[in-house]
Amino acid sequence: MRPYTTPDTFIGVIDIGKENTWTQLDGTKIDSSFTNTFDLNNNQPNGGKSQNCIVMDMEPHHYFRPDKTQDKSCFSSFKTTAMICYADKKEFCYVWMSVNDGKLREHCYWLTTKPRSSSRWNFIDALSRCTAEGGTLAPAIDEMQLAFIRETLTGIFQSPNATCTGVWMGSNTIRGYTWNWNNDPNFLSIPLGNLTPEKCLRLKKDTLDAAYISCNSDLSDVRGAVCFRNATGQILTTPTTTTPTTTTQTHPPTTSTTSTTTTTTLPTTTTTSATTTPPTTSEVPSVLNLTYLEQVKVALTVDPKETSAFKATLNCAEDNRFVSKCMGYTGVAVISGIFVTILFLDVKLLISCR
């Protein structure tokens, strides 16, 4: 991950509170397996109370190993310009049903930007960045979804100290027609122009207008990208208007993430609580909230013991299939006919014997 010739690199591990008790900067205790990274062959860590910060050894080095760590002073007696940082990424989750294909989707989006160490920022660079952060470039599916992304970006760019920038998205014409990198359909009507060279979707700085430009473009006003992942786990939410509501969602333990979920509902003249009876089939809106979705899932749940496959494993079980009934009736008729024939012959024999 570090560039070649990187010097010793600070990471957020210290033992300032108690010697040899290594914690994160906020005091959170680190798993004991972290000690496996110490360069024990060089008697590390060995600085005692004068060296309370952990660094990854420089690379390359004739003495220390770049995949090992050691302790160094946290203060001016040891200086380096290298450090590994992380940032909390805030996700914005959206649940909607596209009117174009009737499919319910649950996406979580976040904004990523060009690293300072990168010399360029084209479509492939943005895709690689999103992949490294655990997702891929966000698809462009329909007007509802694109409106949500624009609204979210507008809110981000209006935050203090934020810098407005154009962003890449995952829709492109690399195959000769519009498709999304994650294979979701694209129902947007955005002028494509000449398909040569291949075009990729960019939201313009300031206006966030969507347009297809060359995938190799490295524009000074396009320094961001919208990444996404499919939502996982149960999103706890209630019916809302288009105003975002903060919700709780499960994330991998190594990721510090804040999620905001927006569930779009059709405008109504009355306010409906989360406990309201679900709408009938004719009243189901084109965009569903997750409360109703969970109720649909329950309604569609099938008891395995009610399936034909399970009933077939039983010695005696009712089988209401038409073919099964016909076979049963035929069997009864054949057996009854045999008994009637035998009875008729016996009676005839008795009469002849007299």
Side-chain angles (χ1 to χ4, degrees), residues 191-202:
L192 298 178
N194 188 352
L195 296 183
T196 304
E198 294 90 350
K199 302 296 182 65
C200 293
L201 184 62
R202 175 267 285 145

Side-chain angles (χ1 to χ4, degrees), residues 77-334:
S77 58
F78 172 76
K79 295 182 180 179
T80 180
T81 58
M83 60 189 67
I84 294 179
C85 305
Y86 85 98
D88 292 341
K89 80 169 182 275
K90 185 174 183 180
E91 293 183 345
F92 298 86
C93 298
Y94 187 52
V95 183
W96 88 106
M97 180 178 288
S98 175
V99 296
N100 300 92
D101 62 1
K103 183 176 180 180
L104 183 71
R105 294 178 173 89
E106 305 174 38
H107 288 182
C108 288
Y109 306 97
W110 68 92
L111 174 67
T112 192
T113 55
K114 173 188 175 182
R116 292 184 178 180
S117 59
S118 298
S119 59
R120 65 181 187 185
W121 187 249
N122 57 29
F123 178 84
I124 298 301
D125 298 321
L127 175 63
S128 299
R129 180 75 169 178
C130 288
T131 302
E133 294 181 359
T136 189
L137 275 173
I141 299 176
D142 57 24
E143 293 293 344
M144 292 175 59
Q145 176 237 17
L146 188 58
F148 171 78
I149 291 177
R150 283 172 170 156
E151 181 180 354
T152 300
L153 291 175
T154 300
I156 293 175
F157 294 151
Q158 290 176 349
S159 302
N161 303 320
T163 301
C164 184
T165 179
V167 296
W168 290 107
M169 290 188 64
S171 183
N172 61 82
T173 64
I174 294 176
R175 293 180 178 176
Y177 55 89
T178 56
W179 68 286
N180 285 301
W181 201 259
N182 71 328
N183 288 321
D184 261 331
N186 184 331
F187 300 112
L188 292 169
S189 298
I190 302 175
L192 298 178
N194 188 352
L195 296 183
T196 304
E198 294 90 350
K199 302 296 182 65
C200 293
L201 184 62
R202 175 267 285 145
L203 300 186
K204 190 177 180 180
K205 178 182 177 181
D206 298 325
T207 62
L208 296 178
D209 290 338
Y212 284 91
I213 63 176
S214 172
C215 298
N216 290 324
S217 298
D218 183 17
L219 305 177
S220 60
D221 62 347
V222 181
R223 287 294 178 264
V226 180
C227 308
F228 106 105
R229 63 175 179 83
N230 288 309
T232 56
Q234 182 180 5
I235 301 177
L236 304 178
T237 184
T238 56
T240 64
T241 62
T242 55
T243 302
T245 58
T246 302
T247 63
T248 303
Q249 185 168 354
T250 304
H251 297 283
T254 58
T255 303
S256 178
T257 304
T258 302
S259 296
T260 300
T261 300
T262 299
T263 303
T264 304
T265 57
L266 294 180
T268 58
T269 56
T270 59
T271 302
T272 305
S273 65
T275 57
T276 302
T277 303
T280 62
T281 303
S282 60
E283 298 172 342
V284 174
S286 59
V287 181
L288 300 179
N289 60 63
L290 281 186
T291 301
Y292 178 70
L293 176 61
E294 291 302 319
Q295 295 169 343
V296 172
K297 289 180 178 177
V298 172
L300 295 179
T301 301
V302 178
D303 185 354
K305 294 184 179 180
E306 296 297 326
T307 62
S308 300
F310 176 80
K311 291 180 179 180
T313 63
L314 304 178
N315 291 329
C316 296
E318 182 180 359
D319 192 343
N320 292 319
R321 291 178 299 175
F322 177 76
V323 174
S324 300
K325 289 183 177 181
C326 289
M327 292 177 62
Y329 295 149
T330 302
V332 171
V334 170

